[in-house]
Amino acid sequence: MLLKNFLNMYIEGFKNLKIGKTLWKLIFIKLFFILVLLKYFIYDDNFKNTYKTQETKIDFVYKNITKDR
C-alpha cells in the first residue's frame, strides 16, 4: 500500500509537468551518454584486454576456480 502510494505520487507528478518532462528527458539522455562513454573509453577493463595471451587467461581462470573461500 505504501509503495503503491509512493509510485502514484511520482506518476501523478510527472503527468502534471510541462517543461519538466523535457528537462528530465535531457537529464536521462546526458546520463546515458556519460555512462556509455565512461564504460567504453575510460573503464574498458575486460578479460580480453587484461590478459593478452592464452596462458595468462587459463592461469587466471584456473586460480579463480580453485581459490578457497
Side-chain angles (χ1 to χ4, degrees), residues 13-56:
F14 276 108
K15 284 182 182 176
N16 294 329
L17 288 177
K18 293 184 181 175
I19 295 176
K21 287 182 184 178
T22 305
L23 293 176
W24 277 108
K25 288 177 188 173
L26 284 174
I27 289 170
F28 284 121
I29 290 170
K30 288 173 84 175
L31 279 174
F32 175 76
F33 280 114
I34 288 170
L35 292 175
V36 167
L37 289 176
L38 285 175
K39 170 70 179 145
Y40 287 106
F41 295 112
I42 295 183
Y43 298 118
D44 188 27
D45 188 28
N46 58 26
F47 193 72
K48 189 182 262 184
N49 291 338
T50 304
Y51 302 101
K52 299 290 183 193
T53 64
Q54 189 71 19
E55 288 82 22
T56 56

